Amino acid sequence: MTNYKIALLDGDGIGPEIMTEAVKIMELVAERKDIEFELVHAPFGAQAYFDYGHSFPEETKAICDQADAILKGPIGLSHEESKKIPVDMQPERGALLPLRRRFNTYANFRPVFLPKGLAHFSPLKPEIIGDGIDFIIIRELVGGLYFGKKETGVNAAGKRYVNESLEYDEDQIARIAISAFETAQKRKKVLHNIHKSNVLKSSVLWNEVVAEVGEDYPDVEVIHILVDAAATYLCLNPGQFDVMVMENMFGDILSDQAGGILGSLGLMPSACIGPDKAYYEPSHGSAPDIAGQFIANPYSMIGSVAMMLEMSFGMEDEAKKVWHAMQSVFAQGNSTPDLSKPGAGVNMISTHAFGDLVAKELAKS
Ligand code: IPM
Ligand code: MG
């Protein structure tokens, strides 16, 4: 029997509760496809720091090293709780970035999808949404400002200063460009390259390398857009986009904006792909303010499972069925509280209920 070992990093805040629903779906998939998922939970994040003294404990590293894929929940606690953790151990710097670095997960895929029938979740007017929103952000994930040299100190004038650099070499740009062109080839063959070359030298090199890589993909049209303009177009005409590629920091910001135009970051799963290993995670945070209330939307966590099925295990059909099951649950008039206001004419459901209904829909397909 095919056996896949999956490291489950539940994370903080709402992480464990949305992970429970993802596990529900994985167990059902295993049963349907007659395969085995060996699910190994491992501590990761702020709670791991309090329990084990490290936000990415050695034991967790070993479990991730041995896994075929990693499914990660959101991390981080409230501002007050986070302050109890030394700056370099805080889960973003102490766990998440080291995870990305360890597995060199340079290609971050963030699908932005809302069918026409669910346009009521979006803050955009129906005429802007048109036939629905359907594009993908491809974000470089292990370079740029996040991983550049950092220096803090006191300068000659006695002032505190900070210096952090945005670094890329041509190989780092070329490999993410290849991921983007290949994705564009499989979709509408239009690639929006997002940059800031009117100011940043890093974008000048980025654009040069994208053009060089593009020579191998003559069937893909490349459209260059400045990042600030892209932010506006995401609100005014998101339908023009199909595949967008950008450096790390731009991708962090625009992907949250993309979640905003869908109506919630709860609709933003993601895949983080490296040369040998991939991990999957919701794009949103751990929402400590609603943790334990079971009102969190598990869509992005279950969507991350769908991406894992497709991208790590080649189970494209089953992945499509999981997406479809989630869309059907919403199309039947259900909503989680992040997506609708009470009294909006929807049936408001809990975290568990969403998982149960998705499982029911999936079982039918
Ligand atoms: C994301 C998150 C992370 C990032 C944080 C938690 C460090 O915002 O995955 O988009 O900035 O990359
Ligand atoms: Mg982000």
Side-chain angles (χ1 to χ4, degrees):
M1 193 191 267
T2 309
N3 176 300
Y4 294 119
K5 191 178 269 190
I6 303 171
L8 301 179
L9 314 180
D10 292 26
D12 301 312
I14 58 169
E17 53 205 86
I18 58 176
M19 182 65 86
T20 301
E21 304 314 311
V23 166
K24 204 177 265 175
I25 301 306
M26 277 188 280
E27 283 171 349
L28 178 58
V29 168
E31 192 186 308
R32 284 157 57 82
K33 305 306 286 182
D34 205 18
I35 57 177
E36 199 176 329
F37 288 136
E38 198 181 323
L39 305 175
V40 189
H41 290 267
F44 187 80
Q47 199 53 49
Y49 174 79
F50 292 124
D51 294 345
Y52 302 95
H54 203 297
S55 47
F56 190 7
E58 288 304 318
E59 175 207 340
T60 300
K61 288 180 186 154
I63 291 170
C64 291
D65 288 349
Q66 284 153 22
D68 295 306
I70 301 161
L71 185 66
K72 177 200 147 282
I75 49 157
L77 294 178
S78 67
H79 190 63
E80 282 311 304
E81 284 299 303
S82 294
K83 281 200 297 201
K84 296 181 188 159
I85 306 179
V87 171
D88 286 329
M89 247 344 145
Q90 286 170 1
E92 294 82 359
R93 265 180 297 266
L96 182 55
L97 298 186
L99 174 72
R100 290 176 181 171
R101 188 186 283 118
R102 187 176 190 87
F103 299 115
N104 201 9
T105 54
Y106 65 89
N108 181 209
F109 295 82
R110 298 192 158 175
V112 185
F113 180 68
L114 193 73
K116 188 179 181 179
L118 301 183
H120 55 281
F121 288 155
S122 170
L124 301 185
K125 296 186 185 110
E127 60 265 34
I128 289 182
I129 295 183
D131 289 334
I133 298 173
D134 184 5
F135 63 93
I136 183 160
I137 291 181
I138 300 183
R139 167 187 178 195
E140 200 291 327
L141 201 60
V142 294
L145 279 169
Y146 278 59
F147 291 91
K149 283 195 269 312
K150 293 172 197 293
E151 187 183 281
T152 50
V154 177
N155 67 15
K159 301 286 182 193
R160 285 172 297 159
Y161 80 98
V162 57
N163 181 355
E164 40 195 4
S165 40
L166 201 170
E167 295 177 28
Y168 276 108
D169 72 26
E170 57 183 318
D171 291 351
Q172 284 177 298
I173 301 169
R175 63 184 181 178
I176 189 72
I178 290 169
S179 303
F181 277 103
E182 286 182 351
T183 308
Q185 251 179 353
K186 288 188 218 131
R187 294 179 50 121
K188 292 187 181 158
K189 299 188 168 41
V190 180
L191 174 62
H192 281 85
N193 176 45
I194 310 302
H195 65 94
K196 187 71 185 174
S197 70
N198 53 349
V199 176
L200 300 179
K201 287 276 183 73
S202 53
S203 282
V204 174
L205 179 64
W206 178 279
N207 291 355
E208 262 172 42
V209 176
V210 167
E212 286 157 19
V213 171
E215 285 171 17
D216 293 336
Y217 301 86
D219 53 333
V220 176
E221 182 193 359
V222 181
I223 299 174
H224 299 275
I225 303 198
L226 290 165
V227 61
D228 46 350
T232 308
Y233 294 147
L234 278 175
C235 297
L236 297 183
N237 181 13
Q240 71 187 280
F241 297 117
D242 190 57
V243 180
M244 303 171 84
V245 65
M246 63 202 80
E247 68 89 35
N248 203 346
M249 186 82 201
F250 296 165
D252 180 45
I253 296 168
L254 288 194
S255 63
D256 265 33
Q257 190 184 342
I261 69 171
L262 297 182
S264 168
L265 273 176
L267 298 182
M268 289 282 294
S270 87
C272 311
I273 312 286
D276 308 312
K277 182 111 49 187
Y279 85 90
Y280 299 84
E281 64 177 353
S283 306
H284 58 71
S286 58
D289 51 325
I290 58 160
Q293 296 178 36
F294 297 97
I295 57 171
N297 181 359
Y299 179 103
S300 57
M301 195 82 228
I302 299 175
S304 299
V305 170
M307 295 186 85
M308 178 173 74
L309 294 176
E310 179 187 335
M311 299 174 91
S312 281
F313 306 138
M315 296 166 69
E316 212 171 335
D317 280 354
E318 191 70 358
K320 279 202 186 106
K321 287 176 181 167
V322 173
W323 286 118
H324 189 256
M326 292 204 291
Q327 303 300 335
S328 305
V329 170
F330 285 138
Q332 288 158 10
N334 298 301
S335 176
T336 42
D338 54 320
L339 287 165
S340 314
K341 296 212 162 43
V346 294
N347 180 38
M348 208 64 94
I349 55 174
S350 69
T351 310
H352 295 318
F354 185 83
D356 288 344
L357 289 171
V358 172
K360 201 169 129 199
E361 283 301 313
L362 181 60
K364 280 196 236 160
S365 61

